[in-house]
Amino acid sequence: MSIGVFDSGIGGLTVLKEIRKVLPNEKIYYLGDTARVPYGEKTKELIVRYSKEIVEFLLEKEVSAIVVACNTATALALKELKETFKIPIIGVIEAGATAINTTKSNKIGVIGTKATIKSGKYEEEIKLFNTKAEVFQKACPLFVPAVEEGILSGKLVNQIIKTYLDDFKGKIDTLILGCTHYPLLKDAISKIYPDIKIVDPAKETALDLKEILEQNEFLKN
Ligand code: DGL
């Protein structure tokens, strides 16, 4: 069987890497929509349209399940995708929200694209798992172009990180990387803020996928 994975660009490869660890033998089709990245600045209508087009393309490859390895598409289009297509489709936000059980202060930061943050989806999901959580959100629109350009460390990136994240210092103990591009900046972020625990939803997403495939009896024994 095969699985389809997509993102607006290269960010979803951070999710693909985790999927590979738990499903080493499945065939995976990855689509990075680099022609139309970034999604985070676009309207819901466009994000839904692009996501549906990609799912249709992946269905032509006869995939049995799809992972929306993009927080923006998960926040804005997952519901429509699930309503439109019959196969299992999973996103990254629920997985990210469940991965916060390490917080001690219940003060959680979420960073993502403008569209993801505006949607409020993370806060909604986090509160389902932790009613005491206080969620601090911030859009970091310069992170995606930096990552797509391969600028992952150095003065410029450190400056951008500080500009967005200094506000979180002393306020939160856990930071969710609510965009699949951001794990590529994880080393740079944790060097600047060593006391903040950084959560990447990718691992949890991969485990969710495996569970869903098992439930649907898609996996070979
Ligand atoms: N990697 C995507 C996400 O997880 C979106 C980046 C973008 O296209 O703006 O939100």
Side-chain angles (χ1 to χ4, degrees), residues 87-99:
I87 63 166
I89 302 181
I90 72 161
V92 277
I93 293 184
E94 202 185 311
T98 53

Side-chain angles (χ1 to χ4, degrees), residues 13-50:
L13 292 172
T14 60
V15 181
L16 178 72
K17 207 169 134 196
E18 294 301 325
I19 295 174
R20 257 290 159 254
K21 288 184 195 161
V22 294
L23 298 169
N25 302 318
E26 313 310 317
K27 188 168 177 178
I28 302 178
Y29 289 95
Y30 180 82
L31 193 140
D33 191 5
T34 49
R36 302 187 288 198
V37 69
Y39 280 15
E41 315 282 313
K42 298 195 167 60
T43 59
K44 176 179 167 79
E45 198 187 356
L46 265 186
I47 296 165
V48 169
R49 196 180 97 205
Y50 293 168

Side-chain angles (χ1 to χ4, degrees), residues 111 137-143 154-169 171 175 185 188-189 192-193:
I111 52 174
Q137 308 196 65
K138 185 135 206 179
C140 305
L142 289 175
F143 283 3
K155 245 184 169 165
L156 176 64
V157 125
N158 288 345
Q159 197 51 50
I160 297 172
I161 291 171
K162 285 187 197 151
T163 304
Y164 289 132
L165 304 187
D166 266 1
D167 274 358
F168 285 154
K169 251 195 316 196
K171 230 189 221 174
L175 177 68
L185 297 174
I189 297 172
I192 302 174
Y193 310 105

Side-chain angles (χ1 to χ4, degrees), residues 6 8 33 36 38-57 66 68 70-85 89 115 119 121:
F6 77 90
S8 60
D33 191 5
R36 302 187 288 198
Y39 280 15
E41 315 282 313
K42 298 195 167 60
T43 59
K44 176 179 167 79
E45 198 187 356
L46 265 186
I47 296 165
V48 169
R49 196 180 97 205
Y50 293 168
S51 302
K52 283 186 176 170
E53 284 170 7
I54 294 172
V55 170
E56 273 158 14
F57 175 83
I66 287 180
V68 183
C70 174
N71 290 266
T72 309
T74 300
L76 281 303
L78 184 65
K79 191 168 163 276
E80 281 80 357
L81 294 178
K82 284 186 164 179
E83 284 164 4
T84 312
F85 302 99
I89 302 181
S119 77
K121 277 272 175 261

